[in-house]
Amino acid sequence: MPTYTALTTLPDETRATALGEALEELDPAPMGVGVFELEDGSGLWEVGAYFTESPDDIALTLMAAAFGAAEFAVSELPEIDWVAHVKRELKPVEAGRFYVYGSHDAETLPEGRIGLLIEAAMAFGTGHHGTTLGCLKALDRLADEGFHGMNVIDVGCGTAVLAMAAAKIWPETVLASDIDQVAVDVAEANVQANDLTGRVTCLEAMGFDHPDIRSRAPFDLIFANILKGPLVQLAPDMAKHAASGGIAILSGLLNTQAEDIIAAYTAQGFEVVNRDEIGEWTTLVLRAA
């Protein structure tokens, strides 16, 4: 199956984030979207999307013009085994009691650690990114403090690594949702590979908009490792679906975006419990009113 990339740059974080969100609504839809600040001192932000079929050039041109971005550079990736390539590059990740690894590193799982098998796939969340790592460390700290998640959901789950981590330490069934069916398929495969079938339920849903999610609310632990824009939009629903005193672990945020998220959530009655930075990324732990 061919893979296509569409990449552009622009000098404004807010517009870059908005462009990333707009790309997710394209038809054909991308299987992944990324928004990153270039580390060359230029002040530019790169926005990229990956497609399994050739993207609409006209739509991309109009989108770039609308957001003041450079023209998209569209390329077809060569037919190589990307999964095998990534496996060679990715090393196990340690986050407290959790050990995230690929099958090629199965023999390295230390005794007494909780293993999370995540293969290289078409969704974010291998544990190597500062956002996923920050969420795992936040969960590890909560568990050390005696917190027990009785009703947990991972919104925008990607690989479902966070949902699976919660299911590994607590016996309750965990929900994992994503707006992207590709991510849901990957999540379900990971759940099966980790022997968590029936313990983690994967759903395609926009935020909390699913009958199975609404029927399970309120949640005492909510993960949301997504972009700033969707997190701001989710704040009212997050408050509505969080149990009183419940915990929200939020990431997908650059350090410079954290204050905006804190403002959006404190306006909904949340208070900040912890704020951690890993590199340029922030993870927030909040408590609902």
Side-chain angles (χ1 to χ4, degrees), residues 32 48 50 68 115 117 130 139 156 158 161 169 178 198 200 211 215 220 252 260 263 271 278:
Y50 294 82
L117 173 60
L139 174 61
V161 63
I169 59 176
D178 204 287
V200 177
S215 68
D220 58 0
D260 290 341
E271 63 175 347
I278 297 178

Side-chain angles (χ1 to χ4, degrees), residues 4 6 19-33 49-63 180:
Y4 300 85
L19 176 55
E21 295 168 6
L23 280 170
E24 295 180 349
E25 303 302 320
L26 276 179
D27 185 16
M31 62 182 183
V33 174
Y50 294 82
F51 300 84
T52 54
E53 55 184 296
S54 183
D56 186 333
D57 288 335
I58 295 176
L60 289 176
T61 298
L62 292 173
M63 201 170 285
D180 180 5

Side-chain angles (χ1 to χ4, degrees), residues 6 38 46 48 87 97 125 155 164 166 187 193 202 204 216 222 230 278:
L38 298 180
E46 181 179 82
K87 283 181 180 179
R97 69 194 57 179
V155 178
M164 293 191 301
C202 303
E204 182 180 3
R216 280 276 299 270
I222 301 172
I278 297 178

Side-chain angles (χ1 to χ4, degrees), residues 88-166:
R88 288 196 297 272
E89 298 297 327
L90 297 183
K91 301 300 181 184
V93 171
E94 299 184 57
R97 69 194 57 179
F98 301 110
Y99 189 83
V100 187
Y101 66 98
S103 59
H104 56 294
D105 281 317
E107 294 181 358
T108 69
L109 177 61
E111 186 176 353
R113 291 290 186 87
I114 296 174
L116 294 164
L117 173 60
I118 302 291
E119 298 290 15
M122 294 185 297
F124 301 108
T126 61
H128 292 77
H129 198 277
T131 59
T132 308
L133 180 58
C135 290
L136 286 171
K137 287 186 172 182
L139 174 61
D140 180 68
R141 184 171 57 239
L142 279 177
D144 281 346
E145 293 169 352
F147 180 88
H148 184 130
M150 303 291 291
N151 195 15
V152 181
I153 184 170
D154 181 4
V155 178
C157 65
T159 60
V161 63
L162 301 177
M164 293 191 301

Side-chain angles (χ1 to χ4, degrees), residues 200-221:
V200 177
T201 301
C202 303
L203 305 168
E204 182 180 3
M206 178 76 74
F208 296 91
D209 189 17
H210 192 287
D212 290 352
I213 295 175
R214 291 192 294 269
S215 68
R216 280 276 299 270
F219 298 93
D220 58 0
L221 178 58

